[in-house]
């Protein structure tokens, strides 16, 4: 019985039971993660609940070091998220979506086969969509629609890949997949979309800032990190990923520099931070994979904290742009302090959690003599501190006197959630031992607190700070949007659509012209009575066609509505096919 | 609340003394770097004292220049571009 | 030359006899009902279908009847069940709509039954004459059905167009058959195959005839480029008739194509794979791309049905036993979900108002939440999103194609389903996210329609969750291949 204690099911059942619990909702929301935590402790290692389904081996639960690592941090993040959202505890739909989302990602993390994995990642996609569109604004709806289309594309890639992989290897087990065949490649593309690897990343920065405040806290933790888990499990050591990850770190940092919306700025930093993990998975050494796992763990905690801080500011002020904010520290000093703990963590200051995890990945790059990647990762570190640690807090909390009515500090449940996360961030930073003990590759020979590491990091960060003050006047945020790959489906799609439509129109015209000229030639050749029959019949048909064309008010986009055209197309096709077999084929 | 008063007073203190403190720390970090034991460097210059100080400063300039430059070039669009 | 009378195997054709008999009965009861009490007609039709279904189930051991003209095997049986199921659903869908359109009379149901008999003959045909007989029985009934809403010009246009082009296509078919007969001296598929394998004296006739046959069948299954009649006719015909035309006849023609091209891959000793693949890709792509821009739901579903024929043809191109079984399951699932979607269109339609524009679905989630959820399940299934049956069906077809090594065909199909999801989701978006233009009272449910939609949804979910049972059933059905 104890074999079946999958923490994911606690959330899925918890979501289903949500509408029944109205009175004790707050306790319920907090109890579900606690029970899940209990399950996490009790679930023994190994494969459980394996059965045969359509001739394939389904394994619903696979508990090993890697899935336990991600499982634990997901449970912690969901507990903090629930605490953070307690003031909105009566939005039943929102909480159902959130718990389905958490349950979905835990199921993916514990899945031992590709079919289970796929089904639950679809559950994640649709429940996370709800977290976005429940915001209710028109922008959120549209962003949500784009979001789900991208994720469906990823899903389709995964299905195709899984099918091909299953046929080629005869197995649907989710282990190292490799990219040697089309199946593995398609699955990789699906995971890369979910991990927001550029150029497939625009969905993230497009949708997350439009989500509900509570929803964004959840979103920041699960989708991309689940994808990182999948990449670590399935594609560790694929060199492409090491390079893509390094590019990602810089890509996110660069766009964040230009961003005005505080949650979008943080979203770009999700891309950047996930870049470290993708690079770690791609490098594939024991140290790198451990680093990717550790970084995912710490990242979920500090990124959640940062999104909580940004959400608290939006909750209190109703504003979300740096150009509108400024001087908030007077009213929200606690939020500011807790936000800064998150900012120091993401910037990898010594004694904060980012330091003990990020340095593993950077060190792995150094050990594998990937100097270019090593330098790129370090530049991204500087950029992270520059925008999350300096620019965003400077323009949000300080910069100038607050212009509007005085605002209130965030509600106590939000602060409590942020304190919870802060304690974890500092705790891991000071005592990395327990985290290292959870990592997948044992034993962990890594010491983050060497003098060179500490002094080097401090130099890097503080001189970046110096750079910030020197460059301050260039860094003032502006209103506006930054072009990203989303252009292709927000703008480009219409262009392409128009091109296709006009091409079809063109073909149709060509067909009709061809027909008419051919018809005229035939008429000239044979004026004798033998053809009058045909002409009369055909003419009548034409007239019928014309009549109905006039009467039908709908635009016939691709159809001329004329029978002769249809018949002619059929004849042309017949001649083509017959010609192929008579003259070309066998 | 007590804690927010405490935070605000710390901030006030920093406003007066913070800049001097900051520069003092910068100088100390680079000067102290000479005595820090180092492993084999990954590339020439890696083990020099103050390498990361230079690197951090240069990186912040580089990122700002590239991001702002590309923004000016074509990335930046008006707020209602997609509407 | 002594004439031998072949033994008469009544049990093999009992379903056809039952369906035709009940159709005649309907014509007679219609006289007494004088256009009133349409539900009596519907009940009679349903009883007829049930009886036929019973006969189809006790068909007995696989055998060839009527000196090789009629194949009474598992494959026939499986398809017969699909047809009867589909027609049954259409009968349920028709009651409310026909009542409102004032066309709920016995002749309508009689025509439905006659065309069902035609489809069953087609699925059982192992001879070109049987095939032609079934096809004509089906087509002529359909021509009339398409124009059944006599007072609407759109319906008349559809009927006339369908008739003229259909005649044209049948001309191709018949001419092709004549050529093949001329070249081989046989009308049964097995005999043609034997004769064609022997030598190539009359290769020209054989090939031209075979391509003509392909043209005719391509027209009936609405494969691109023989598809252009589809959107016009589907848009104009009454909704239940469109539902009927889009499901059963398509399955019937695919059954024929399977017999012709897959049962004996060496049919006419011509390599069909190339053109079947090309047609499949064109059919999928044109269907999906054209559906993207449609504003009329019926027209959009017409293009969607074109694309579904394309997916099924991927299985046809693979031509393995497994692929044939997966196509059979695909047709079963497709029949269920497509008729149910049209059922919802019929439910949304109001008296003297078709309401099939996409924007007519705006805000449906608020006024009729259950209906909106049903529609969402069905379009998700059409789009191929798990755990709905549409996904499983597509999955099996593609799996079979992968096993046959047709990777590029699978890739095209996967890309196409991604495109497809876009326009199917438009329904959901309209229903859940848009405000209706005018405030209308909620749609009134009709018991028969609710039963039809509920049955389909149960089927779609059931096949989606436990598909293996159905695939095994289809697998047993194609053992004779």
């Amino acid at each position: 019985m104890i074999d079946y204690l999958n923490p994911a099911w606690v959330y899925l059942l918890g979501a289903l039971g949500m509408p029944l619990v109205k009175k004790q909702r707050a306790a319920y929301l907090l109890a579900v993660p606690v029970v899940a935590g209990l399950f996490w402790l009790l679930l023994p290692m190994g494969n459980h609940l394996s059965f045969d389904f359509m001739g394939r081996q389904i394994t619903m639960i696979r508990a090993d070091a890697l899935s336990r690592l991600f499982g634990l941090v997901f449970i912690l993040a969901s507990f903090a998220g629930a605490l953070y959202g307690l003031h909105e505890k009566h939005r039943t739909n929102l909480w159902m979506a959130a718990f389905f989302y958490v349950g979905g990602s835990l199921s993916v993390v514990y899945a031992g086969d590709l079919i289970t994995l796929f089904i639950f990642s679809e559950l994640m996609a649709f429940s996370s969509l709800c977290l976005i569109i429940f915001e209710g604004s028109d922008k959120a709806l549209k962003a949500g629609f784009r979001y789900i289309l991208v994720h469906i594309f990823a899903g389709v890639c995964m299905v195709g890949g899984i099918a091909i992989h299953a046929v080629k290897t005869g197995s649907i087990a989710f282990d190292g997949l490799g990219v040697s065949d089309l199946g593995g490649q398609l699955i990789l593309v699906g995971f890369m979309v979910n991990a927001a690897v550029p150029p497939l990343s625009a969905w993230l920065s497009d949708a997350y800032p439009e989500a509900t405040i509570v929803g964004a806290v959840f979103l920041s933790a699960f989708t991309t990190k689940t994808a990182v888990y999948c990449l670590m499990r399935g594609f560790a050591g694929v060199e492409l990923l090491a390079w893509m990850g390094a590019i990602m770190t810089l890509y996110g940092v660069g766009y964040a520099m230009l961003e005005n919306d505080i949650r979008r700025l943080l979203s770009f930093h999700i891309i950047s931070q996930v870049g470290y993990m993708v690079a770690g998975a791609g490098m594939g050494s024991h140290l790198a994979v451990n680093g990717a796992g550790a970084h995912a763990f710490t990242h979920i905690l500090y990124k959640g904290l940062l999104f909580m801080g940004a959400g608290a500011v939006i909750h209190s002020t109703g504003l979300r742009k740096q150009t509108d904010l400024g001087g908030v520290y007077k009213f929200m000093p606690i939020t500011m302090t807790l936000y800064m703990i998150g900012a120091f963590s993401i910037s990898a200051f010594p004694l904060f959690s980012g330091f003990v995890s990020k340095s593993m990945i950077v060190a792995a790059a150094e050990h594998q003599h990937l100097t270019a990647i090593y330098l790129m990762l370090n530049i991204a570190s500087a950029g992270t501190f520059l925008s999350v640690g300096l620019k965003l807090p400077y323009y949000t909390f300080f910069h100038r006197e607050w212009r509007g009515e005085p605002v209130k500090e965030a509600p106590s449940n939000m602060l409590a959630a942020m304190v919870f996360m802060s304690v974890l961030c500092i705790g891991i930073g000071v005592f990395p031992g327990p985290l290292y003990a959870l990592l997948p590759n044992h034993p962990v020979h890594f010491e983050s607190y060497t003098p060179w590491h500490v002094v080097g990091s401090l130099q890097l960060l503080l001189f970046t700070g110096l750079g910030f003050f020197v460059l301050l006047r260039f860094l003032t945020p502006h209103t506006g949007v930054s072009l990203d790959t989303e252009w292709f489906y927000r703008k480009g799609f219409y262009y392409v659509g128009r091109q296709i439509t006009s091409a079809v129109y063109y073909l149709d015209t060509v067909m009709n012209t061809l027909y008419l000229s051919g018809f005229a030639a035939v008429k000239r050749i044979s004026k004798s009575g033998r053809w009058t029959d045909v002409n009369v019949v055909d003419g009548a048909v034409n007239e019928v066609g014309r009549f109905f064309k006039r009467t039908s008010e709908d635009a016939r986009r691709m159809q001329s509505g004329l029978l002769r055209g249809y018949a002619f197309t059929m004849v042309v096709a017949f001649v083509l096919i017959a010609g192929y077999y008579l003259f070309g084929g066998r | 609340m007590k804690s927010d008063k405490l935070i605000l007073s710390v901030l006030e203190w920093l406003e007066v003394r913070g800049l001097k403190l900051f520069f003092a720390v910068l100088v100390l970090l680079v000067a102290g770097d000479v005595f820090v034991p180092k492993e084999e460097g990954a590339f020439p210059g890696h083990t020099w004292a103050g390498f990361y100080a230079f690197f951090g400063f240069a990186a912040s300039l580089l990122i700002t220049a590239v991001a702002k430059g590309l923004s000016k070039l074509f990335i930046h669009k008006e707020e209602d571009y997609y509407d | 030359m002594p004439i031998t009378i072949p033994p008469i195997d009544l049990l093999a054709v009992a379903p056809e006899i039952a369906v035709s008999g009940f159709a005649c009965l309907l014509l007679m009861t219609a006289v007494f009902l004088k256009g009133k009490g349409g539900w009596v007609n519907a009940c009679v039709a349903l009883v007829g279908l049930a009886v036929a279904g019973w006969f189809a189930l006790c068909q007995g051991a696989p055998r060839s009847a009527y000196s090789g003209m009629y194949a009474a095997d598992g494959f026939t049986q499986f398809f017969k069940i699909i047809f009867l199921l589909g027609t049954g659903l259409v009968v349920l869908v028709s009651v409310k709509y026909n009542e409102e359109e004032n066309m709920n009379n016995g002749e309508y149901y009689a025509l439905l039954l006659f065309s069902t008999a035609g489809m069953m003959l087609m699925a059982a045909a192992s001879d070109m004459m049987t095939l032609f007989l079934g096809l004509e029985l089906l087509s002529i009934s359909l021509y009339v059905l398409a124009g059944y809403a006599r007072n609407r010009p759109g319906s008349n246009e559809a009927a006339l167009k369908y008739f003229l082009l259909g005649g044209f296509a049948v001309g191709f078919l018949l001419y092709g058959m004549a050529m093949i007969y001329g070249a081989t001296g046989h009308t049964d598929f097995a005999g043609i195959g034997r004769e064609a394998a022997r030598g190539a004296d009359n290769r020209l006739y054989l090939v031209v005839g075979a391509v003509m046959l392909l043209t005719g069948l391509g027209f009936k299954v609405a494969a691109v480029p023989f598809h252009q009649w589809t959107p016009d006719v589907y848009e104009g015909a009454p909704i239940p008739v469109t539902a009927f035309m889009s499901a059963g006849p398509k399955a019937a023609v695919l059954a024929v194509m399977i017999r012709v091209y897959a049962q004996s891959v060496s049919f006419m000793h011509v390599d069909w794979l190339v053109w079947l693949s090309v047609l499949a890709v064109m059919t999928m792509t044109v269907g999906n791309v054209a559906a993207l821009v449609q504003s009329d739901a019926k027209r959009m579903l017409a293009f969607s049905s074109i694309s579904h024929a394309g997916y099924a043809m991927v299985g046809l191109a693979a031509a393995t036993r497994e692929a044939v079984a997966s196509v059979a399951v695909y047709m079963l699932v497709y029949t269920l979900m497509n008729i149910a979607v049209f059922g919802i269109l019929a439910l949304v339609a109001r008296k003297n108002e078709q309401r099939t524009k996409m924007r007519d679905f705006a805000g449906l989630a608020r006024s009729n939440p259950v209906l909106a959820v049903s529609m969402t399940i069905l379009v998700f299934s059409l789009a191929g999103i798990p755990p709905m049956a549409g996904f499983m069906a597509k999955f099996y077809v593609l799996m079979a194609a992968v096993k046959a090594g047709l990777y590029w065909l699978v890739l095209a199909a996967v890309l196409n389903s991604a495109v497809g999801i876009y326009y199917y989701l438009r329904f959901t978006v309209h229903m859940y996210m848009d405000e209706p233009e005018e405030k209308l009272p909620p749609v009134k449910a009709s018991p028969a329609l609710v039963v039809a939609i509920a049955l389909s949804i149960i089927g779609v979910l059931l096949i989606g969750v436990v598909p293996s049972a159905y695939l095994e059933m289809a697998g047993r059905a194609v053992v004779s291949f």
Side-chain angles (χ1 to χ4, degrees), chain C residues 343-365:
Chain C
I344 289 183
L345 291 194
L347 200 51
V348 172
R350 285 164 201 270
K351 200 167 175 139
N352 300 324
E353 200 188 349
Q354 293 287 301
R355 296 193 69 75
T356 57
K357 296 277 173 235
M358 292 299 285
R359 61 171 182 274
D360 292 334
F361 287 81
L364 201 63

Side-chain angles (χ1 to χ4, degrees), chain B:
Chain B
M1 258 160 73
K2 248 186 187 167
S3 50
D4 45 345
K5 291 271 157 27
L6 180 72
I7 294 166
L8 288 175
S9 63
V10 169
L11 285 175
E12 261 168 46
W13 184 82
L14 276 177
E15 202 176 356
V16 185
R17 308 268 162 88
L19 206 60
K20 275 183 196 163
L21 189 73
F22 180 63
F23 280 113
V25 171
L26 290 188
V27 172
L28 261 177
L29 269 176
V30 178
D33 199 11
V34 180
F35 307 105
V36 169
K38 284 167 186 163
E39 301 142 36
E40 196 187 342
F43 45 85
H46 193 189
T47 51
W48 293 353
F51 168 78
Y52 281 105
F54 168 76
F55 188 88
F57 189 70
S60 63
L61 295 186
L62 181 76
I63 292 166
T64 313
V66 170
K68 287 282 160 183
L70 285 179
S71 171
K72 284 258 161 58
L73 215 59
F74 73 101
I75 287 179
H76 185 82
K77 293 279 179 247
E78 285 311 312
E79 194 94 321
D80 53 359
Y81 176 72
Y82 284 121
D83 295 336

Side-chain angles (χ1 to χ4, degrees), chain A residues 7 12 50 70 72 77 130 154 179 209 227 275 315 323 357 397 415 449 466 492 561 567:
Chain A
L12 298 177
S50 286
F70 278 83
L72 176 62
C130 295
V179 287
H315 179 83
T323 42
S357 56
F397 294 110
L415 292 179
Y449 287 104
L466 181 67

Side-chain angles (χ1 to χ4, degrees), chain C residues 82-357:
Chain C
I82 296 181
F83 302 145
L84 292 169
L85 203 63
T87 311
L89 288 177
V90 170
V91 168
L92 289 174
V93 167
S94 303
V95 177
K96 176 222 172 201
Y97 184 90
N98 289 11
E99 205 69 64
E100 280 174 3
E101 292 283 316
N102 204 15
M103 51 184 238
N104 204 12
N105 38 31
E107 291 87 340
Y108 173 86
Y109 296 102
L111 284 168
L112 276 185
L113 292 194
F114 276 129
S115 41
T116 309
M119 293 193 287
M120 293 198 283
L121 265 182
M122 281 168 77
S126 55
D127 185 288
M128 291 198 297
M129 287 304 103
T130 327
L131 163 62
F132 187 71
L133 193 66
L135 190 73
E136 280 304 85
L137 187 53
L138 166 68
S139 305
I140 292 172
S141 312
L142 279 185
Y143 300 149
V144 182
L145 279 172
Y148 213 82
R150 278 178 316 216
N151 302 327
R152 272 195 291 113
S155 183
N156 292 334
E157 174 193 354
L160 193 55
K161 260 191 186 160
Y162 193 25
F163 173 62
L164 289 173
L165 276 174
F168 190 58
V170 166
F172 265 98
L173 193 80
L174 201 54
Y175 205 27
M177 286 177 174
M179 282 194 170
I180 294 170
Y181 177 67
T184 62
H186 284 275
T187 55
D188 58 316
F189 297 151
I192 295 167
R194 272 199 312 278
E195 202 64 32
R198 224 161 42 84
D201 318 336
N202 301 311
R203 188 162 180 279
L204 177 68
Y205 295 118
L206 203 58
V207 168
V208 173
V211 177
M212 283 187 152
L213 194 65
L214 180 66
T215 309
L217 293 176
F219 173 86
K220 284 286 167 196
V221 82
V224 175
F226 312 113
H227 70 289
Q228 284 174 305
W229 58 277
T230 322
D232 293 9
V233 174
Y234 281 18
E235 192 184 358
I239 293 174
V241 175
T242 313
F244 184 66
M245 284 197 294
S246 67
K250 205 161 270 211
V253 181
L254 267 165
V256 169
M257 288 177 92
I258 287 171
R259 281 217 195 270
V260 173
Y261 298 108
Q263 189 170 26
S264 45
V265 185
S266 59
F267 182 65
M268 321 240 170
H269 285 263
V270 170
D271 177 18
W272 292 108
L273 176 66
V274 186
W275 275 98
L276 283 179
S277 317
V278 170
L279 289 187
V281 170
M282 287 206 307
T283 308
M284 288 186 289
T285 313
V286 170
N288 277 318
V289 171
L292 281 180
V293 292
Q294 301 303 329
S295 61
D296 185 281
K298 255 165 112 187
R299 215 171 158 78
M300 196 200 87
L301 287 170
F303 281 111
S304 124
S305 81
I306 292 177
S307 70
H308 279 283
Y311 298 128
M313 283 170 74
V314 171
L316 191 61
T320 57
R321 181 175 295 180
E322 203 178 5
V324 169
S326 67
V327 172
V329 171
Y330 196 96
M331 285 292 85
L332 172 64
V333 171
Y334 171 75
T335 302
L336 282 180
M337 58 195 184
N338 215 42
I339 291 180
V341 167
F342 277 109
I344 289 183
L345 291 194
L347 200 51
V348 172
R350 285 164 201 270
K351 200 167 175 139
N352 300 324
E353 200 188 349
Q354 293 287 301
R355 296 193 69 75
T356 57
K357 296 277 173 235

Side-chain angles (χ1 to χ4, degrees), chain A residues 76-93:
Chain A
L76 289 175
S78 69
F79 177 77
L83 186 57
Y84 183 78
L86 276 190
H87 61 285
E88 299 200 39
K89 58 176 179 280
H90 292 300
R91 294 181 66 178
T92 307
N93 292 342

